[in-house]
Amino acid sequence: MADKKGKPGEPAAEAPPPQKGEKDPEEPKKKSEQPKDEVGTRKGCRRYKWEFKDSNKEFWSVGHAEVKLISLACLIGSLVMFTGSTVHPLLTLIITMEISIFIFFFIIYTFAIQRYLPFILWPISDLLNDLFCCGFLVGAAVFALRSRQTVPTNYLAAVVFLCVAALFALVDVCLQKKHFKGKKIKRNVLVPPPPKEPEKPVAEVKPVDAEKKKAGKPKEAKAKGAAGAKGGKK
């Protein structure tokens, strides 16, 4: 038997080149390049990390977070000031309602929940919330002053906090305009597509016609047999 091993003086045999369609195992796997300002092809945890960073960056850089924090602090301060004196329950109800709504929006924007609920128009809902908040707080401040004949210092401070919170809610309304600038209205979004033409039904052979054809064949065969028999007799 011939020795398959190469001689010490001979060079080692080269490895066969990789066939087409096979990847070279030594080449490192390159990650797909992702755009910085878009989600790209990110999925799962990678997408949530990008959405989380982008949502917080937008929330804090535009100024929504700072304005909402000041309004929330003023509302909490007014609620604390009202505890030292007799207050109408309607005032505490309005303040606690606005505090809970502000906390709700903070959770939504901080954890990027709005990115996964696109069927809700979040800029418009936030804009409406600021408008209603400003109206409710101004009305609460006027009601608080009219419902009391004597106004203690802590009571007056609580009313001032309400007015400041209403003012910053109005500032947040002005900041919301940036979301609507440079965006074109999509036309024909709700227009239904044109109706499809109904397909013409294929002509089907009726079973009655088929049975008539089958029944007509033996009659024709009998008529031909009778004619042949008459011809033979002649």
Side-chain angles (χ1 to χ4, degrees):
M1 294 176 66
D3 191 4
K4 293 183 180 179
K5 295 181 180 180
K7 295 180 180 179
E10 296 179 355
E14 296 181 357
Q19 298 179 358
K20 293 182 179 180
E22 294 181 358
K23 295 181 179 180
D24 191 357
E26 295 180 359
E27 292 182 359
K29 294 181 179 179
K30 295 181 181 180
K31 293 183 179 180
S32 59
E33 295 181 0
Q34 302 291 338
K36 294 181 180 180
D37 55 345
E38 294 180 2
V39 180
T41 58
R42 298 177 180 90
K43 294 181 180 179
C45 187
R46 289 181 63 200
R47 179 183 175 182
Y48 180 73
K49 286 181 180 178
W50 187 90
E51 297 281 10
F52 179 81
K53 292 179 181 178
D54 190 64
S55 178
N56 280 278
K57 182 180 178 181
E58 182 183 358
F59 185 51
W60 288 91
S61 63
V62 176
H64 295 298
E66 292 84 353
V67 171
K68 289 182 185 299
L69 271 176
I70 295 172
S71 298
L72 185 62
C74 291
L75 289 173
I76 294 172
S78 65
L79 189 63
V80 171
M81 290 294 180
F82 275 137
T83 54
S85 59
T86 55
V87 186
H88 196 279
L90 183 62
L91 294 174
T92 56
L93 176 64
I94 292 174
I95 294 171
T96 52
M97 179 184 68
E98 295 300 335
I99 287 174
S100 60
I101 293 174
F102 274 114
I103 292 173
F104 169 76
F105 276 99
F106 256 103
I107 293 171
I108 289 291
Y109 289 124
T110 303
F111 293 99
I113 299 174
Q114 82 281 6
R115 302 293 181 93
Y116 294 89
L117 300 174
F119 54 87
I120 300 176
L121 300 175
W122 290 103
I124 294 177
S125 61
D126 200 0
L127 178 68
L128 293 175
N129 170 59
D130 291 330
L131 288 174
F132 284 116
C133 176
C134 183
F136 274 116
L137 293 179
V138 170
V142 173
F143 177 76
L145 291 175
R146 288 188 175 182
S147 62
R148 292 288 298 265
Q149 295 180 354
T150 59
V151 181
T153 306
N154 59 343
Y155 194 89
L156 182 61
V159 173
V160 171
F161 280 137
L162 285 179
C163 294
V164 174
L167 176 63
F168 278 97
L170 192 61
V171 172
D172 198 18
V173 171
C174 299
L175 294 176
Q176 291 289 342
K177 292 182 180 179
K178 295 182 180 180
H179 293 287
F180 304 100
K181 287 183 179 180
K183 292 185 178 179
K184 296 180 180 179
I185 299 173
K186 294 181 179 180
R187 297 180 179 179
N188 301 327
V189 175
L190 300 177
V191 177
K196 296 181 179 179
E197 295 181 358
E199 296 180 358
K200 295 181 180 180
V202 181
E204 297 180 356
V205 180
K206 295 182 180 180
V208 179
D209 296 340
E211 290 178 0
K212 287 181 179 179
K213 289 180 180 180
K214 290 180 181 178
K217 289 181 180 179
K219 291 180 180 179
E220 291 176 0
K222 289 179 180 179
K224 290 180 181 179
K230 291 178 180 179
K233 289 178 181 179
K234 289 179 181 180

